[in-house]
Amino acid sequence: MVSLERAAGALELLDRPVAPAARAASLADIDRLNAWFRGYALTMSEIRRLAAAVPRNRALVVLDVGGGHAAFAVRLVRWARRSGRAIRVVVVERDAETLAFARRACAAYPEISLVRADATALPVRAGAADVVAASLTLHHLEPDEAVAGLREMAAAGRAVVVNDLLRTRFSLGLVWLATRLLCCHPISRHDGPLSVRRAYSSAELGTLAGKAGIGRFEIREYPLFGRLVAVTA
């Protein structure tokens, strides 16, 4: 796959103040794209695998960093309920408006807690979580911030799962086409391709992880879905 130069310093529209209706529409687009291109499924698969090592006589604790409007957190809780497993999911999101959407989405899920905080300064004690997940979060951070975020995640949990976009020309074309064929909001049509260009390559992610003190980071690429997944355990 042909890689692209990273769009360092670029800012997505959803990272800026936008009207609530536009934010809601764009978040809904992200939800659909995650479902279509296995963004949720890849992270869920890793969490289920890691959860097998956690005793079933206590709640599985998952920290969802950059969890947005809590769509993935809700899926996690539904899986745990079907599996007869106790779970506690803490969604960390820095945007207050996005958290407001999450609050409504989580009304029927007391297993989910919402915390407004930044990925680079997680308000949790060391080792508080069994799994720390970050999906489509890391590419929003510039390198120094990404290192800080990875360091915080590694300290907060026993295992870290990072799911992000694969920065290739194929991924760029895939996202560009999907955001148009699926009639996505103009914000999504702008931010989707830019997100690909902001993402870190596997080699770059490995370097960032090393700077964060993460000794073992297994990184796998899924070119057909335009994704990469990195796991510490």
Side-chain angles (χ1 to χ4, degrees), residues 56-67:
R56 293 185 67 91
N57 61 357
R58 69 169 179 83
L60 174 71
V61 180
V62 179
L63 187 65
D64 187 7
V65 179

Side-chain angles (χ1 to χ4, degrees), residues 27-48:
L27 289 172
D29 290 338
I30 292 171
D31 191 31
R32 283 194 297 159
L33 293 169
N34 266 314
W36 273 64
F37 295 102
R38 294 184 59 81
Y40 291 140
L42 290 170
T43 303
M44 183 73 77
S45 176
E46 294 296 339
I47 292 176
R48 282 164 44 193

